[in-house]
């Protein structure tokens, strides 16, 4: 709509001094950022650095407290997402907003301002998907599509609005490495056409590979503008975190005979609701001293597997799950804890912890059965002194930062609460620890600490099962990696044989070259 | 077009959380004064008869205890339900069921007379109320029905069943066809505490003991922790190894049992027989008591006396200045409204969101 201005100096977006304050926290503090036409610009920062707040202001979802937004050479205010779209700013969110029961084309139609017949929209979507190498069937139901395909719908929906600037929020966090490669090709095509992209990520390798410039945020401030190609992953990480992150060390397995502490054989579970994933014939073994990683794109049955292993969902036969050699498929979560297992679920608030209860009460949540002797007195009374002391011990061991003594769980930051929840289980030295997404949304320093703690627990003789979508993390801590896809679990790849490519193919559902059975044999031979 | 939005406060004020029931009381009194003046009464007179006059004499203090006993007994039971996120609205029905079950002995077996009758009646009252509450509980635990609807509807079943009993099979043969049972015999009467001073009976002692016991359970024991966790975050409760369906049944049995005890205490203490109507809505008013007492059994004891006062005050105002007895109900309703309103505003603030403003800004910027 403003073609006559296109010639101006290549500058597309010119943000100056953008500030947003929540209560006493300056989420964004005088942020400057410029984006040229035909540029892929990275916005880097740890969780809580202010990235999301910043782009929400650009997209009209939050109102800035101060600062200006220059767009194509003139100042604008962006009161609503609709206004952002009309200016030519499009956004693809990390969490999709699609109706599962509708088709791709219907979902696209719902978001368009114009009224156009569905066939015409489907045709335009198909044409776009061809141009940009984003294969998509417009008439497929969203519920049947993989996460990667759903993301394509969001991208095409965004492209149909003909934006000049596309904001992508952590787009590869839900993709396999191969799908991510395809996405990068698409983004490069878009750049070559003169479109600009603001690329939010904390994955340094892909930023180095893809982006022309980068802006690094820390605690709501810009700490650097740089050319990521001139930097190393380590130097970028240092800018993000502010100091060097200690590398996690994984000492070699001590060797010797290893007892199988967690054994699962033929675990199947029907889908509990229409959008849950059924589990099919899952087998795995985790031995003392070992960390087994389970990779997979979100929504392939990881949550269902966790519930089945923890005993929140029971199995039909007791022998399906064995902990320390005891059949426990019919035991409740407390029964499994009493056998020596510990569990850390993916959701921190509302599952791993009750949000409005104090930390000491949240300690009781998972420990009342196993530590009844020390935490409970006569008549089932709670020994508050013992409880507070135990909570303080965990806070100190795990370096949990918080304000005041014994605050509510919801008052802690995500990373600190996660440290507490993991520390709560580590504190009792569980023989088997099952963790789902140990460092999701946790800052780099805390994440390194948690990963090290998991390795140390395994090396001290426990079996550790880690379910994660973060491949870097799994490669850092696992002795073997198995992949979940569509409710099935692949055979474990010993870490020496695993590569991003192999794991990525399995995440995408490619059948591995070997069957589960002979791979299990291999793994057994190795152990 | 203007829209009202509730926006969650980042943190709630500890001070206002503590004084919120008092604020609600003050607002209720103020709104009540407005209501009285609209009804053409002098608001100061009305408030005097409502809140001061009933407290001036010993016998009326006894009356206060008579009214407060069932309210407190029922409300402490309800606090267990509400804290565990089970919405038992049918305490009135459980109250009646307890009264009927306990009434079996003196009405059907009037010749069975010895010291064991009264304890048996109390136990049967508890059992009757608990059994009646078990119906919505099992329906919820097994079929996931909405307990608000089932428990409420069972109130009317209980009321009509009692009505049928006292007009039909249980009618006093020597009672001139009045719809009431025979008077309970002396062994079936709950004794008065100080017979020379007033009518207060052992019901108020039961109420205070129940409140103390439940306060201890809720605050100090693992069971109380289980009740609160399952109410606040059911998924975290399941992770802790607590069973939500079992808690539904436990909570309903506790509150039904206490409502049943309140019912049999009322008929064996204050009334002395079964009649078509044995409660001026204690089971519903107890919901207000539970929330005014912030679901804390000790707070509920205080709140029970406040609401009991509103019953007495309603009667006093009716007699002395001719205020309709409906005014007392309206008064109680306002109290619940302000209690819940204050609690909401502690957690949320109100924002006026004008869609028109947003659109105006958008248009201005596009020009």
């Amino acid at each position: 709509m403003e073609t006559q201005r296109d010639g101006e100096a290549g500058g597309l977006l010119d943000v100056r001094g953008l500030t947003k304050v929540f209560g006493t926290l300056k989420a964004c503090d005088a942020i400057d950022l410029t984006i040229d036409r035909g540029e892929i610009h990275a916005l880097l920062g740890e969780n809580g650095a202010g990235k999301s707040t910043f782009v929400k202001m650009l997209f009209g979802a939050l109102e800035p407290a101060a600062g200006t937004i220059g767009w194509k050479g003139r100042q604008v205010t962006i009161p609503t997402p609709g206004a952002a779209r009309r200016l030519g700013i499009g956004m693809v969110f990390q969490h999709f907003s699609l109706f599962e029961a509708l088709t791709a084309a219907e979902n696209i139609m719902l978001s368009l301002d114009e009224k156009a017949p569905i066939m015409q929209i489907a045709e335009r979507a198909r044409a776009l998907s061809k141009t940009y190498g984003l294969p998509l069937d417009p008439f497929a139901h969203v519920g049947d599509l993989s996460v990667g395909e759903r993301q394509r719908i969001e991208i095409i929906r965004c492209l149909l609005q003909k934006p000049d600037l596309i904001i992508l929020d952590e787009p590869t966090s839900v993709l396999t490495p191969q799908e991510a490669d395809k996405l990068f090709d698409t983004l490069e095509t878009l750049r070559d056409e003169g479109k600009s992209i603001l690329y939010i990520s904390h994955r340094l390798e892909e930023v180095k590979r893809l982006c022309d410039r980068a802006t690094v945020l820390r605690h709501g401030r810009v700490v650097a503008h740089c050319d990521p190609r001139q930097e190393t992953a380590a130097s970028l990480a240092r800018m993000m975190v502010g100091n060097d992150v200690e590398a996690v060390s994984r000492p070699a397995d001590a060797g010797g005979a290893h007892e199988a502490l967690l054994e699962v054989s033929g675990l199947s579970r029907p889908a509990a609701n229409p959008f849950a994933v059924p589990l099919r014939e899952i087998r795995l073994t985790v031995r003392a001293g070992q960390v087994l990683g389970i990779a997979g794109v979100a929504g392939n049955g990881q949550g269902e597997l966790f519930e089945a292993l923890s005993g929140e969902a029971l199995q039909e036969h007791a022998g399906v799950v064995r902990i320390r050699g005891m059949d426990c498929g019919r035991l409740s979560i407390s029964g499994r804890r009493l056998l020596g297992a510990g569990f850390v679920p993916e959701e921190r608030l509302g599952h791993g912890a009750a949000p409005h209860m104090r930390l000491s009460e949240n300690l009781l949540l998972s420990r009342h059965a196993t530590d009844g002797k020390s935490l409970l007195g006569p008549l089932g009374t709670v020994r508050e002194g013992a409880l507070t002391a135990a909570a303080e011990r965990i806070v100190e061991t795990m370096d949990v930062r918080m304000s005041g003594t014994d605050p509510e769980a919801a008052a802690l930051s995500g990373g600190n609460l996660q440290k507490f929840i993991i520390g709560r289980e580590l504190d009792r030295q569980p023989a088997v620890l099952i963790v789902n997404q140990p460092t999701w949304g946790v800052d780099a320093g805390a994440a390194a600490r948690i990963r090290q703690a998991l390795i140390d627990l395994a090396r001290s003789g426990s079996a550790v099962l880690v379910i994660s979508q973060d491949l870097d993390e799994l490669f850092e801590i696992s002795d073997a990696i198995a992949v979940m896809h569509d409710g099935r679990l692949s055979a474990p790849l010993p870490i020496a044989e695993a590569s991003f490519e192999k794991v990525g193919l399995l995440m995408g559902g490619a059948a591995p070259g070997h069957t589960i059975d002979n791979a299990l044999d291999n793994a057994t031979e190795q152990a | 077009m203007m829209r009202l939005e509730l926006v969650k406060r980042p943190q709630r004020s500890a001070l206002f959380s503590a004084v919120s029931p008092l604020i609600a009381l003050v607002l209720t009194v103020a709104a009540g004064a407005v209501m009285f003046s609209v009804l053409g009464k002098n608001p100061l007179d009305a408030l005097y008869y409502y809140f001061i006059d009933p407290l001036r004499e010993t016998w009326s203090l006894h009356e206060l205890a008579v009214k407060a006993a069932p309210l407190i007994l029922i409300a402490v039971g309800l606090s267990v339900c509400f804290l565990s996120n089970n919405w038992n609205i049918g305490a009135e029905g459980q109250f009646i069921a307890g009264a009927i079950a306990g009434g079996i002995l003196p009405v059907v077996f009037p010749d069975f007379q010895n010291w064991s009758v009264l304890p048996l009646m109390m136990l049967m009252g508890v059992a009757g109320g608990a059994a009646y509450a078990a119906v919505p509980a099992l329906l919820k635990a097994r079929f996931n029905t909405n307990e608000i609807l089932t428990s409420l509807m069972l109130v009317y079943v209980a009321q009509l069943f009692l009505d049928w009993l006292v007009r039909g099979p249980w009618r006093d043969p020597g009672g001139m066809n009045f719809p009431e049972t025979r008077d309970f015999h002396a062994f079936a009467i709950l004794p008065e505490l100080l017979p020379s001073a007033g009518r207060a009976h052992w019901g108020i002692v039961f109420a205070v003991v129940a409140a103390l016991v439940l306060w201890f359970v809720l605050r100090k024991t693992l069971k109380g922790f289980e009740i609160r966790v399952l109410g606040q975050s059911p998924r975290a409760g399941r992770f802790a190894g607590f069973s939500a369906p079992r808690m539904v049944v436990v909570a309903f049995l506790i509150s039904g049992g206490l409502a049943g005890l309140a019912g049999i205490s009322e008929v064996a203490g204050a009334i002395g027989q079964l009649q078509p109507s044995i409660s001026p809505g204690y089971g519903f008013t107890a919901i207000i008591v539970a929330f005014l007492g912030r679901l804390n059994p000790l707070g509920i004891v205080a709140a029970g006396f406040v609401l009991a006062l509103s019953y007495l005050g309603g009667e006093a105002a009716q007699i002395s200045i001719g205020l309709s007895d409906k005014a007392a109900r309206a008064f109680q309703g306002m109290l619940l409204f302000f209690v819940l309103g204050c609690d909401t505003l502690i957690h949320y603030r109100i924002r006026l969101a004008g869609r028109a403003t947003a659109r105006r800004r958008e248009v201005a910027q596009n020009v």
Side-chain angles (χ1 to χ4, degrees), chain A residues 80-353:
Chain A
T80 63
R85 276 197 291 269
R86 278 189 291 282
L87 285 173
I89 300 176
M91 177 149 181
V92 177
F93 289 93
Q94 191 177 2
H95 301 287
F96 308 144
S97 46
L98 297 170
F99 295 98
E100 302 208 343
L102 299 182
T103 65
E106 286 166 338
N107 267 290
I108 293 172
M109 187 169 79
L110 282 173
S111 70
L112 293 183
D113 290 333
E114 51 176 322
K115 296 258 181 291
I118 186 95
M119 291 309 289
Q120 195 191 330
I121 288 172
E123 204 37 59
R124 276 158 65 193
R126 205 194 298 272
L128 270 177
S129 79
K130 220 170 250 165
T131 318
Y132 293 106
L134 296 163
L136 177 72
D137 172 7
F139 298 110
H141 282 97
V142 170
D144 300 333
L145 298 179
S146 75
V147 185
E149 289 169 311
R150 292 179 199 204
Q151 187 181 54
R152 284 181 215 147
I153 302 178
E154 291 270 4
I155 294 176
I156 286 172
R157 177 152 95 170
C158 175
L159 289 176
L160 272 173
Q161 323 255 10
K162 302 201 176 62
D164 296 303
L165 174 67
I166 302 164
I167 304 171
L168 292 163
D169 190 0
E170 302 267 1
T172 55
S173 62
V174 293
L175 301 182
T176 67
Q178 284 82 2
E179 285 176 317
D181 282 342
K182 278 193 216 147
L183 175 69
F184 297 155
D185 291 343
T186 305
L187 298 183
E188 278 163 2
T189 314
L190 285 167
R191 166 173 60 190
D192 296 343
E193 287 179 358
K195 295 198 187 300
S196 305
I197 292 162
L198 181 58
Y199 188 91
I200 303 170
S201 184
H202 64 264
R203 295 195 173 170
L204 305 171
E205 290 299 338
E206 62 188 40
V207 165
K208 270 174 62 60
R209 174 179 155 189
L210 185 71
C211 300
D212 306 299
R213 283 198 296 157
T215 297
V216 185
L217 299 186
R218 188 167 73 226
H219 302 317
R221 289 167 178 273
V222 174
V223 289
H225 296 286
C226 64
D227 178 350
R229 288 172 187 152
Q230 307 292 321
E231 302 288 334
T232 63
S235 68
L236 286 173
R238 207 172 305 127
M239 284 185 229
M240 274 167 56
V241 182
N243 50 37
D244 286 302
V245 176
E246 267 183 56
V248 171
S249 75
R250 194 160 61 85
D253 198 338
H258 293 308
E259 192 192 345
L261 294 181
L262 174 67
E263 296 161 276
V264 178
S265 53
L267 167 62
S268 296
R269 183 183 169 199
N273 64 61
F275 298 111
V277 179
L279 298 179
R280 306 166 213 258
E281 284 295 313
I282 287 186
R283 293 177 172 205
L284 61 87
T285 302
V286 195
R287 296 175 182 281
Q290 207 184 24
V291 179
L292 175 66
I294 294 187
V297 175
N300 272 290
Q302 292 96 326
E304 288 83 354
L305 175 65
F306 179 86
E307 281 189 343
L309 294 181
S310 70
E312 287 167 282
L314 298 185
Q315 285 74 53
E316 290 206 353
H317 303 290
V320 170
V321 177
R322 292 163 69 83
I323 291 172
R324 289 171 67 201
M326 305 282 281
D327 290 353
C328 62
R330 302 294 302 159
L331 284 185
S332 70
I333 189 166
S334 291
R336 295 181 197 201
R337 285 191 178 118
L338 285 168
L339 286 178
F343 307 97
V344 178
E346 176 181 3
E347 286 276 329
R348 291 187 276 267
L349 286 177
H351 191 179

